[in-house]
C-alpha cells in the first residue's frame, strides 16, 4: 500500500474517532494538536488502525509512536512485512 493511501485511511480513522469530518491530519501532528486526544482516544485510534489494515502492533511499537507520521510509518512497515 502506498504512503498516500495509508495517510488517507488514517485521516478517515482520526475523523471517525474525533467525530470531526474536517480534521486535517498531518505527519507532524501530536496529541497536543488535537483537543480531546488522550490515552483513551489513542487506544481507539490504534484499534481502528489495526482493524483497518489487518495488522497488530506490539507494545514496543506503540511506545515509539510520538506523532501521526510515526503511526503511518509503522503501518507501512507492518504491511511490508516488517
Amino acid at each position: 500500500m502506498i504512503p498516500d493511501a495509508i495517510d488517507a485511511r488514517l485521516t478517515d480513522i482520526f475523523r471517525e474517532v474525533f467525530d470531526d469530518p474536517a480534521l486535517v491530519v498531518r505527519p507532524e501532528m501530536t496529541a497536543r494538536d488535537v483537543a480531546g486526544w488522550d490515552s483513551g482516544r489513542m487506544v481507539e485510534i490504534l484499534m481502528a488502525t489495526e482493524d483497518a489494515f489487518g495488522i497488530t502492533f506490539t507494545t514496543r511499537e506503540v511506545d515509539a509512536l510520538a506523532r501521526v507520521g510515526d503511526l503511518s510509518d509503522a503501518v507501512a512497515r507492518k504491511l511490508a512485512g516488517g
Side-chain angles (χ1 to χ4, degrees):
M1 181 173 277
I2 60 172
D4 288 344
I6 293 170
D7 292 344
R9 185 62 187 114
L10 288 176
T11 296
D12 291 341
I13 290 168
F14 274 76
R15 287 176 175 174
E16 288 175 27
V17 167
F18 292 101
D19 194 27
D20 182 355
L23 182 62
V24 177
V25 179
R26 298 175 318 279
E28 67 276 3
M29 184 180 286
T30 69
R32 293 180 189 160
D33 300 316
V34 181
W37 187 348
D38 57 16
S39 59
R41 294 280 190 203
M42 188 63 187
V43 170
E44 289 181 54
I45 291 165
L46 291 171
M47 290 175 53
T49 300
E50 289 178 332
D51 186 52
F53 293 100
I55 59 176
T56 303
F57 292 114
T58 65
T59 302
R60 179 175 285 172
E61 290 167 331
V62 171
D63 288 344
L65 303 176
R67 51 190 194 89
V68 173
D70 297 334
L71 179 58
S72 179
D73 292 345
V75 170
R77 278 192 304 278
K78 287 287 195 180
L79 294 177

